[in-house]
Amino acid sequence: MEEVPSWVPSQIDWNQPSVARIYDYALGGAHNFEADRRAQDATLEVFPYLNDAAKANRAFLHRALRFCLDQGIRQFLDLGSGIPTVGNVHEVVQEVDPESRVVYVDHDPVAVTHARSMLTANPRVVILGEDIRAPHKILEHPDTRRLIDFQQPTALLMVGMLHYVNDAASPRRLLREYRAGMAPGSYLIASHLTSDLPEMRAAAPFFDDSRNPMTLRSKSEIEDLLADFDLIDPGVVYTVEWRPDTPPGDHPERSACYAAVARQG
């Protein structure tokens, strides 16, 4: 039986897979449990490129952050931020400008606990233990208001997150509520696992027993979700195709995830 590490919060069910911990495992992190590893390993049987897809998603995030920094953005709201690992948002943006401010949001207790232990010495970064489906609580939270001036443009991050918002939760309405709280000139950074790939459709059911089952969507459905924003060139493309630093290779679809950066007019 797996021994529970001392850093594990007492309230979590560590026998139930968690998206944040599965993603940590896919990226080579150490804050995951046997249940998370079993879930991820099972998906690799039907989609062997899934770990590479997770790394491609992370690389897209870094490119998109650099783009937003180039546009003058210095405050970032990261929804569904996950467990801190190498190349976190605050590390990327504060390397460019140490005055940059980041609010992370996640409702996974392991992600929140570990992030808080990491961020105690950084006054310009905070994590909220909230559900992203409650925009008002996040936008009005005292820690959010302390770090983010919503009269100024902000980058809203929903990277690898919208596919965990099912249709009943109305992801487009959710985006509209967040958009309403942002100043003109703000940006949305988003990525979304797709139903366009047969291997991804086969892998998705392995997450049904996790805390966060998936709702895969097609490229056209993802474009519809983002219709209230102005897409930045090249629009909605696979993660490896969004302004890549190197050629994306012969099989961009293996990244399994569409990505976009969009501007609020």
Side-chain angles (χ1 to χ4, degrees):
M1 186 174 185
E2 185 175 19
E3 182 178 350
V4 184
S6 59
W7 50 263
V8 176
S10 60
Q11 73 270 30
I12 76 161
D13 180 1
W14 57 284
N15 290 302
Q16 183 183 36
S18 154
V19 165
R21 301 193 303 268
I22 290 171
Y23 191 50
D24 175 70
Y25 175 50
L27 292 173
H31 291 81
N32 49 77
F33 307 132
E34 183 179 349
D36 309 306
R37 297 188 286 273
R38 282 201 309 266
Q40 180 69 354
D41 290 344
T43 65
L44 291 173
E45 293 294 322
V46 296
F47 187 20
Y49 306 105
L50 199 55
N51 285 350
D52 292 336
K55 293 170 184 175
N57 188 56
R58 193 75 174 180
F60 155 72
L61 167 62
H62 291 176
R63 296 194 304 275
L65 288 172
R66 294 196 298 269
F67 170 84
C68 287
L69 287 161
D70 287 344
Q71 311 313 305
I73 302 297
R74 293 297 184 270
Q75 46 188 22
F76 301 82
L77 177 58
D78 186 358
L79 303 178
S81 52
I83 293 172
T85 186
V86 175
N88 293 301
V89 170
H90 72 279
E91 293 173 330
V92 174
V93 301
Q94 290 183 346
E95 183 177 2
V96 173
D97 185 346
E99 300 294 315
S100 296
R101 303 174 305 284
V102 179
V103 174
Y104 292 117
V105 183
D106 206 291
H107 71 155
D108 183 280
V110 170
V112 174
T113 299
H114 189 47
R116 283 179 177 158
S117 70
M118 280 183 58
L119 301 173
T120 52
N122 194 326
R124 294 181 178 83
V125 187
V126 71
I127 185 164
L128 312 183
E130 301 286 353
D131 192 317
I132 69 166
R133 292 167 293 187
H136 178 75
K137 290 180 68 175
I138 292 166
L139 296 174
E140 298 297 329
H141 195 286
D143 283 338
T144 305
R145 291 290 175 172
R146 175 172 60 85
L147 289 181
I148 294 182
D149 175 7
F150 285 112
Q151 300 303 308
Q152 301 297 320
T154 304
L156 175 69
L157 281 59
M158 297 192 78
V159 177
M161 185 46 53
L162 282 168
H163 45 257
Y164 299 116
V165 180
N166 61 27
D167 292 340
S170 186
R172 187 164 180 184
R173 175 194 55 78
L174 193 67
L175 281 169
R176 284 174 174 166
E177 290 185 22
Y178 281 110
R179 183 181 184 277
M182 304 290 174
S186 293
Y187 285 87
L188 169 68
I189 301 174
S191 64
H192 194 306
L193 286 168
T194 179
S195 59
D196 290 341
L197 193 68
E199 294 92 336
M200 194 63 241
R201 294 197 301 271
F206 289 100
F207 293 85
D208 287 348
D209 293 331
S210 75
R211 296 178 72 238
N212 309 89
M214 292 179 183
T215 300
L216 302 181
R217 296 182 175 95
S218 67
K219 181 178 181 180
S220 61
E221 288 173 319
I222 295 166
E223 289 172 334
D224 183 65
L225 288 182
L226 306 180
D228 294 325
F229 294 82
D230 298 324
L231 290 172
I232 301 300
D233 186 66
V236 176
V237 294
Y238 284 113
T239 50
V240 295
E241 296 177 313
W242 198 90
R243 303 195 175 197
D245 297 323
T246 58
D250 295 333
H251 295 284
E253 74 281 358
R254 289 178 179 174
S255 60
C257 208
Y258 285 114
V261 176
R263 189 177 187 273
Q264 176 177 339

